[in-house]
Amino acid sequence: MNLGTPLTKIFRISPAKQKTLQRMGLLTIEDLLYHFPTRYGDFMQVNSIAELRDGDTGNIYAEVMGVRARKTFKSNIPITEAILKDGSGEELRAIWFSQPYISKMLRTGDLARFSGTVSVKKGQKMISNPEFQRVNSIPLEKSGSLFADGSKEMEMALFPIYRESGIKNGKISSKWIYHKVKKILSNRDFLENLADPIPEKILKKYKLPSLKNAFIYLHLPRKTEDGEIARKRFAFEEIFFIQLVKNIEKEKYKKSGSFIIKPNKEIQKKFLNSFDFKLTEGQSETVASILEDFKKGEPMSRLLEGDVGSGKTIVAAAAAFFTAMTKPKDQSFGRLQVAYMAPTEILAKQIFKEFIKILGSHGLQIGLLTSKDVQKFPSKINPKESTKISKKKLAEAILNGEISITVGTHALISKNIFFENLGLVIIDEQHRFGKKQRAALRSKPEEKKEAIKSGKIRKSEKILKKGLADNDNILPHLLSMTATPIPRTLALSLYGDLDLSLITDMPAGRKKVKTDIFIDSESHRKKVYGEAQKELEKGRQMYVICPRIDDPDPDKLQALNVKSAISTKASLEKDEHFKNYSIGLLHSKMKKEEKDRVMEDFLNNKYQILVSTSVVEVGVSVANATVMIIEGGERFGLSQLHQFRGRVMRSSHQPYCYIFANGKSKKTVDRLSVIKNAKNGFELAEADLKQRGAGEILGNKQSGISDLAMDALKNLKMIEAARKESELMAKNDRYQKEEELVKKLEKIKKRIYME
Ligand code: ADP
Ligand code: MG
């Protein structure tokens, strides 16, 4: 018997229960032991029998007045019954189904603690299937003053409560789990042979319990702290392994080498003269870090975080420019290439235009590649403009290395797009996929050869004659950018293989969004709509953000408060304030093209008001939109609200954000009020992390991290420790020497990459 042993091998489990276990992902001993209690029941909260009511969870100390075993009349199920009596003088009938052995464990006269659900039928109180534990004495008072001497009973006062699943015969109850776990943990052989994936030295250093002890503390705690110590270990374990996987990757791609990019002072100056403002401190620092990375000959993997409007594009343009001004390795001509991937068509076009504006005067060719729109800059006829060309033409220009910078959507990864010397990949707003996309974008030498041979794509004879260096196996640098502020601790744990740059300051002269929070009421609405109308009359536009698309399921009480985009649009259309304006609708169930069209129409002021669920594309810049109304504000995290309002920060006009919150208490408004004066998204993300946990920031389900580790992510010290140790382990493949660790690593990798 070891961690990998299937549960069915050591326990007799009915097919119905097996099915439930499968659904719960509990197949092996390891699965079961890693099924952590959600909380602990406390024997110490003692009730008296007299005070128990129907449906209560009772914890009583009682004397056993009599025990008997029998079978039910009809179904012949074995039952144990006991009569219990406590200091209150009342009696309680305890009953256990299908556990005949209990009649042998309890004797008349025994004193014990009992815990279970109480029911009252025909005036008789009954407790079904109670947990029990014999004790030497019972407290006279229910306050338990007898225990103040710290006797043994005090220490055994906890029992674990687990997440349950299934119904009827297939039910896997908390109690079922408890019994199986107890059985497993009472097997000495198993415990003695339990190998710990975390090296002992690390455990000692951070005073963490061994795997064996942690299992015991977790499932069979004697005191509250036991459970906590165990959790600490398992949280460390999880974060340590996630980081180890990342750090091993980091070491690996460090070794794969990359282009050295070292722009001289002149080139750097050229770039800085390409626009008429000064870089902010955050921008300069980031550019400096990128230049450091570029020198090393190792592929850069940098995540740039900065609020919407903090000026990430300029940083990207700098990196792109320096790359494009560099000749490929072992080649006396040509330029390194850049691929810039944006999440949407509109964004790609915006970036394309911006790059032309900033970099257009330096003799670089810039391409645009989306599924619908393919363009090239400069046009032969008008060198100040771009021009539409065929996809095939652009693909060939990319293959021949003539296009230095290609901005596009996912279309960049499509068939027959091959770069000649890809030096840098920039990923906008999809940091989770950054590395995958770099891998997909890097030249695929075999496919490329095949495509050229079959005539699907043509390599220019002229260029071939010049003698191209073969750089197909060099990994491009990666710059990943996001406006989703992730607190440093979180970013380090989840993206530990990326280096981090933060832009925390805004370009000078940017107007702060005037933000106000209102309890949802008719008078407040009137006031806000009035203010909004004034802005619309000045020719501005407005967003209205709603938490849900359809009308909510009336069964769900809390959902009743949710404003739906569809009904909000309908009610705005009827509202006096907005009768002169046309209203567009954008929600997550719409097709991508439809969404793009609506967004484009809003951009072109065909709609003055855009009602939207939270899908409004991050980063799309509608400079004329200066008002935002957010419905159901209490349903969003602070950093999410902050991101929404970032969309009205694009112009020189004063922007406004009005948040309606449903909630009777002032607390809701107080929680949200932090947003009024926060300096940047990071501050709010940290607040979210403290108030609502990591799930809030990452989106609950998407990260593949357990709740336990999520919770631990609040603990900076632990994360730093896990980071330090995993870095050391990854260096020079030291981890390879730890057999148990390598085994565990394989499992964790599978889980991480399952996403
Ligand atoms: P984001 O970080 O959201 O991608 P952008 O790069 O789109 O932000 O920048 C928003 C606007 O701010 C752009 O119009 C850009 O030209 C301008 N901008 C960027 N950096 C500065 C700066 N240092 N000073 C003044 N304006 C700047
Ligand atoms: Mg941007």
Side-chain angles (χ1 to χ4, degrees), residues 277-280 283 307-313 507 510 650:
F277 46 77
K278 262 185 72 187
L279 293 185
T280 63
Q283 287 171 324
D307 273 354
V308 172
S310 61
K312 296 185 290 295
T313 311
R510 203 58 72 71
R650 290 305 180 121

Side-chain angles (χ1 to χ4, degrees), residues 353-373:
K353 280 192 198 136
E354 239 167 296
F355 269 30
I356 292 172
K357 208 169 96 192
I358 305 166
L359 305 177
S361 59
H362 298 297
L364 301 170
Q365 295 195 33
I366 305 175
L368 172 72
L369 177 59
T370 75
S371 54
K372 278 197 245 107
D373 200 357

Side-chain angles (χ1 to χ4, degrees), residues 511 513-514 527-543 577-578 581 605 608-609 623-629 648 651-658:
K511 290 208 170 65
V513 183
K514 274 197 186 148
K527 183 176 145 105
V528 168
Y529 285 1
E531 298 287 327
Q533 188 186 10
K534 273 191 226 154
E535 286 299 299
L536 290 166
E537 271 164 18
K538 287 187 215 156
R540 306 283 111 75
Q541 286 164 277
M542 167 166 93
Y543 290 99
H577 295 93
F578 307 122
Y581 305 106
N605 206 356
Q608 290 72 51
I609 302 172
N624 193 44
T626 58
V627 184
M628 174 168 285
I629 294 177
V648 290
S651 75
S652 48
H653 304 292
Q654 174 60 50
Y656 300 90
C657 176
Y658 304 103

Side-chain angles (χ1 to χ4, degrees), residues 445-600:
E446 297 311 317
E447 280 172 57
K448 183 153 115 181
K449 259 184 228 140
E450 196 55 43
I452 293 170
K453 221 170 90 191
S454 68
K456 279 200 189 104
I457 189 163
R458 219 165 25 119
K459 197 131 199 178
S460 138
E461 292 295 329
K462 213 169 79 197
I463 285 182
L464 279 174
K465 262 193 217 129
K466 284 199 203 168
L468 288 168
D470 180 4
N471 286 324
D472 277 349
N473 287 316
I474 294 180
L475 197 61
H477 297 288
L478 170 69
L479 177 64
S480 193
M481 305 194 292
T482 178
T484 313
I486 307 167
R488 189 172 270 276
T489 52
L490 215 52
L492 290 180
S493 343
L494 300 177
Y495 313 111
D497 50 341
L498 301 179
D499 293 308
L500 203 58
S501 286
L502 307 184
I503 301 182
T504 54
D505 47 355
M506 280 284 175
R510 203 58 72 71
K511 290 208 170 65
K512 262 190 95 147
V513 183
K514 274 197 186 148
T515 304
D516 255 313
I517 299 147
F518 296 95
I519 293 279
D520 196 349
S521 74
E522 198 144 323
S523 60
H524 283 149
R525 227 162 245 285
K526 227 181 197 151
K527 183 176 145 105
V528 168
Y529 285 1
E531 298 287 327
Q533 188 186 10
K534 273 191 226 154
E535 286 299 299
L536 290 166
E537 271 164 18
K538 287 187 215 156
R540 306 283 111 75
Q541 286 164 277
M542 167 166 93
Y543 290 99
V544 180
I545 309 280
C546 306
R548 290 261 173 97
I549 318 163
D550 299 308
D551 272 322
D553 176 358
D555 291 344
K556 290 188 183 147
L557 211 65
Q558 60 153 342
L560 281 170
N561 290 326
V562 176
K563 282 276 172 185
S564 81
I566 292 163
S567 66
T568 300
K569 176 169 180 268
S571 77
L572 290 178
E573 272 163 351
K574 272 185 256 150
D575 199 290
E576 265 307 288
H577 295 93
F578 307 122
K579 60 173 190 255
N580 294 330
Y581 305 106
S582 62
I583 305 180
L585 178 69
L586 192 72
H587 62 67
S588 48
K589 291 229 171 108
M590 283 160 62
K591 291 216 182 74
K592 192 162 173 5
E593 299 84 66
E594 240 181 307
K595 277 194 241 172
D596 283 354
R597 186 189 52 75
V598 172
M599 206 59 217
E600 190 117 35

Side-chain angles (χ1 to χ4, degrees), residues 106-128:
L106 273 182
R107 313 240 167 220
T108 303
D110 278 352
L111 303 177
R113 264 190 307 258
F114 296 87
S115 162
T117 311
V118 175
S119 57
V120 181
K121 272 195 195 117
K122 291 184 192 151
Q124 216 202 353
K125 283 183 192 171
M126 197 170 89
I127 189 163
S128 332

